[in-house]
């Protein structure tokens, strides 16, 4: 399988090259040259397969030419160390929980697979020094730091906006230790991103071997298909058919991986992209005009994105035909007030604790089911509710192993470095 840049179809590279570069030299996203079809046999018998076996069948056509089959199996083993349970709330409503990974974030899966790719492609060059530099609004930083923790020759530096991540997210960023470093930036997430961009262009920092672990990297995008297949397997085992899946969306990597899975043959009838007030895609599907506005801060802050980078992948999947895309995807936007109400509703009606991102997806699913009353729906929970527990006004208890893990972090010494300017960031990097 080759990958091409979405802004220049003639620029073609292998998986390894696409993974190492992250983004094409012309700033286009990498995209598979063909979309492989899964066999009817695979889909008919999916209920007999483990998640590891499913992952292998789904990923082998994409990586097979670069990675030996046995090595791919090992990479999958290192990535999938947790499950993706589908939980039933009522007859036609399920939640797919993607937050059972080590940092309670759905981003654990993509970040872990990326780390496995890194280990694989660099195993022969362990003298190389690399610094992974990432800006985070909360979840990315923890997932990336955890995935690369302890890896020889690698340092991970995370920039987070002071006071703008949740208490637990901050603990995750600042207590991981070892080769992971948190820089607390006196500014916004956009400032963090701007510092990262400047650092990549800074000749003085060349020697550090700066690399990003950006969510648009093909190695983070492709494995996200795995849990859509796992979700289908679990719903099928529950005897259901005609499925709608609602995905809380920011950069649209997650939902576009679902659409890629559908193109490979996954029998999900409709996807819902549920957004917060950053509604560029819902407006785009309505009007056909792609018209991003400035980013709005919301309580589902991992989705505060107004110009989603994966839009080009979604359109590429449908040959730039918006009408075709609209057959498979609807998009709705919801306010913070509705999101808060949904968190309460889920708890009061079903005893279900949701975080703000999952609650937005639940609202999207409810809206879609109004139009398709005979379908069965599943919304995706992307972060553990304990990370955002202050949004649930009721006193609730959490599983003891999670509480223990958080207490463990709280008792560790926090380590972070305050930075007010780019020069502070640079000074830190140079001192590494
Ligand atoms: C990153 C993130 C999202 C958005 O996912 P995209 O792939 O960027 O659309 C949703 N929820 C949570 C908790 C996240 O961390």
């Amino acid at each position: 399988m080759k990958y091409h840049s979405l802004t220049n179809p003639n620029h073609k590279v292998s998986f390894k090259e696409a993974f190492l570069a992250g983004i094409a030299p012309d700033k286009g996203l990498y995209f598979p040259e063909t979309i492989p079809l899964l066999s009817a046999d695979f889909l008919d018998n999916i209920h007999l397969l483990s998640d590891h076996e499913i992952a292998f069948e789904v990923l082998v056509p994409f990586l097979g030419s670069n990675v030996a089959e046995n090595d791919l199996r090992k990479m999958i083993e290192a990535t999938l160390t947790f499950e993706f349970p589908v939980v039933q709330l009522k007859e036609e409503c399920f939640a797919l929980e993607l937050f059972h990974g080590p940092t309670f974030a759905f981003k654990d899966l993509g970040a872990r697979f990326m780390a496995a790719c890194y280990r694989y492609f660099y195993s022969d060059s362990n003298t190389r020094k690399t610094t992974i530099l990432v800006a985070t609004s909360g979840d990315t930083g923890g997932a990336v730091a955890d995935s690369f923790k302890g890896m020889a020759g690698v340092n991970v530096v995370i920039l987070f906006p002071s006071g703008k991540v949740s208490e637990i997210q901050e603990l995750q960023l600042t207590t991981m230790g070892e080769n992971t470093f948190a820089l607390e930036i006196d500014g916004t997430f956009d400032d963090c991103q701007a510092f990262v961009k400047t650092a990549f262009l800074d000749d003085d920092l060349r020697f550090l071997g700066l690399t990003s672990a950006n969510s648009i990297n093909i190695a983070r995008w492709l494995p996200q298909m795995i849990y859509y297949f796992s979700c289908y397997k679990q719903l099928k085992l529950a005897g259901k058919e005609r499925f709608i899946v609602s995905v809380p969306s920011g950069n649209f990597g997650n939902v576009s991986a679902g659409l890629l899975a559908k193109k490979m043959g996954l029998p999900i009838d409709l996807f819902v992209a549920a957004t917060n007030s950053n509604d560029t895609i819902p407006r785009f599907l309505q009007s056909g005009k792609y018209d991003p506005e400035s980013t709005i801060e919301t309580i589902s802050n991992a989705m505060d994105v107004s110009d989603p980078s994966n839009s080009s992948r979604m359109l590429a999947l449908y040959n730039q035909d918006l009408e075709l895309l609209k057959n498979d995807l609807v998009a709705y936007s919801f306010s913070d007030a509705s999101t808060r109400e949904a968190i309460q509703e889920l708890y009061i009606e079903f005893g279900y604790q949701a975080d703000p991102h999952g609650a937005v997806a639940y609202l999207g699913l409810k809206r879609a089911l109004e139009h398709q009353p005979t379908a069965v729906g599943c919304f995706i929970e992307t972060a553990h509710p304990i990370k955002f527990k202050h949004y649930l006004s009721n006193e609730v208890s959490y599983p003891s192993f999670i509480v223990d893990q958080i207490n463990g972090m709280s008792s560790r010494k926090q380590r972070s470095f305050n930075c007010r300017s780019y020069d502070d960031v640079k000074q830190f990097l140079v001192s590494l």
Side-chain angles (χ1 to χ4, degrees):
M1 173 77 74
K2 289 271 183 196
Y3 297 82
H4 64 262
S5 159
L6 281 177
T7 49
N8 174 11
N10 295 323
H11 170 80
K12 288 179 194 162
V13 298
S14 67
F15 175 84
K16 179 180 175 180
E17 291 165 307
F19 158 67
L20 293 177
I23 190 160
D26 58 15
K27 304 280 176 246
L29 268 59
Y30 282 116
F31 194 78
E33 215 178 9
T34 54
I35 294 174
L37 280 181
L38 289 161
S39 69
D41 194 47
F42 167 75
L43 292 164
D44 289 346
N45 294 306
I46 197 166
H47 55 286
L48 304 173
L49 302 179
S50 69
D51 283 348
H52 287 209
E53 289 164 329
I54 292 173
F56 178 78
E57 295 300 329
V58 170
L59 293 178
V60 74
F62 291 98
L63 278 83
S65 48
N66 266 176
V67 182
E69 293 200 352
N70 247 346
D71 291 320
L72 178 58
R73 285 187 202 279
K74 280 188 208 143
M75 285 156 70
I76 288 168
E77 245 165 65
T79 304
L80 297 188
T81 51
F82 50 95
E83 312 223 305
F84 318 110
V86 169
V87 177
Q88 185 162 28
L89 272 58
K90 63 175 176 183
E91 189 56 30
E92 310 71 34
C93 182
F94 295 78
L96 168 63
E97 296 183 345
L98 301 184
F99 56 69
H100 293 275
T103 71
F104 318 136
F106 95 95
K107 291 186 171 76
D108 279 326
L109 174 85
R112 289 174 76 78
F113 191 72
M114 186 174 193
C117 289
Y118 202 86
R119 217 174 278 122
Y120 179 76
F121 290 120
Y122 278 115
S123 57
D124 50 348
S125 57
N126 52 12
T127 48
R128 190 188 139 99
K129 181 174 174 180
T130 299
T131 304
I132 295 175
L133 190 62
V134 181
T136 188
S137 60
D139 275 352
T140 304
V144 169
D146 184 77
S147 302
F148 285 87
K149 190 173 62 179
M151 203 184 280
V154 177
N155 280 322
V156 182
V157 179
I158 310 284
L159 280 68
F160 73 96
S162 182
K164 293 201 166 63
V165 302
S166 84
E167 200 184 315
I168 290 173
Q169 287 172 329
E170 183 164 335
L171 279 174
Q172 288 177 330
L173 294 171
T174 56
T175 63
M176 204 109 39
E178 299 187 46
N179 58 336
T180 72
F181 304 90
L183 303 190
E184 180 167 353
I185 306 295
D186 188 13
T188 62
F189 170 61
D190 287 334
D191 295 327
C192 296
Q193 262 186 325
F195 291 163
V196 167
K197 275 193 190 146
T198 310
F200 277 112
L201 298 173
D202 192 333
D203 281 337
D204 297 346
L205 298 178
R206 274 278 153 84
F207 74 99
L208 286 170
L210 290 183
T211 312
S212 88
N214 204 297
S215 71
I216 57 178
N217 193 298
I218 199 92
R220 279 184 62 181
W221 188 52
L222 294 175
Q224 298 180 83
M225 283 189 290
I226 298 167
Y227 42 70
Y228 290 101
F229 285 97
S230 176
C231 174
Y232 171 68
K233 168 179 91 171
Q234 294 176 67
L235 289 171
K236 199 174 162 210
L237 281 173
K240 304 294 180 192
E241 41 196 292
R242 290 212 61 231
F243 309 121
I244 298 179
V245 174
S246 176
V247 188
S249 296
N251 243 331
F252 282 68
N254 200 1
V255 73
S256 60
L259 292 170
L260 174 60
K262 182 168 163 63
K263 287 281 175 192
M264 289 178 78
L266 178 68
I268 285 178
D269 289 271
L270 182 71
F271 281 90
V272 183
T275 73
N276 55 32
S277 301
N278 295 287
D279 61 351
T280 304
I281 298 293
R283 283 185 292 111
F284 174 54
L285 292 194
Q286 279 252 311
S287 69
K289 266 196 236 130
Y290 188 82
D291 182 21
E293 289 166 358
S294 40
T295 309
I296 300 164
E297 268 189 41
T298 74
I299 60 170
S300 47
N301 68 339
M303 313 197 301
D304 293 352
V305 180
S306 57
D307 187 5
S309 19
N310 286 286
S311 333
S312 60
R313 283 190 175 137
M314 281 198 299
L315 282 166
L317 282 166
Y318 292 86
N319 295 324
Q320 313 299 322
D321 186 331
L322 188 59
E323 292 310 309
L324 283 182
L325 172 63
K326 281 160 74 175
N327 289 336
D328 290 352
L329 180 75
V330 294
Y332 306 122
S333 137
F334 300 95
S335 68
D336 275 355
S338 310
T339 306
R340 286 176 198 276
E341 276 169 27
I343 292 173
Q344 286 303 317
E345 178 180 316
L346 279 160
Y347 187 67
I348 288 160
E349 279 192 28
F350 312 114
Y352 191 76
Q353 299 162 31
D355 91 293
H357 307 81
V360 169
Y362 167 71
L363 288 168
L365 180 63
K366 261 188 32 171
R367 172 99 36 104
L369 285 173
E370 285 166 15
H371 302 288
Q372 315 241 0
T374 59
V376 165
C378 191
F379 67 93
I380 294 190
E381 246 298 9
T382 43
H384 196 289
I386 202 167
K387 277 185 168 172
F388 299 92
K389 57 181 192 284
H390 43 288
Y391 290 118
L392 194 55
S393 53
N394 311 62
E395 255 327 294
V396 296
S397 57
Y398 293 93
S400 57
F401 75 94
I402 287 177
V403 176
D404 289 349
Q405 201 173 324
I406 287 165
N407 288 342
M409 285 193 292
S410 312
S411 64
R412 250 175 266 156
K413 199 167 152 43
Q414 290 198 45
R415 173 176 80 179
S416 68
F417 304 87
N418 294 313
C419 294
R420 294 179 163 274
S421 64
Y422 175 69
D423 280 340
D424 292 350
V425 174
K426 181 167 174 173
Q427 217 169 51
F428 178 84
L429 289 170
V430 170
S431 74
L432 266 185

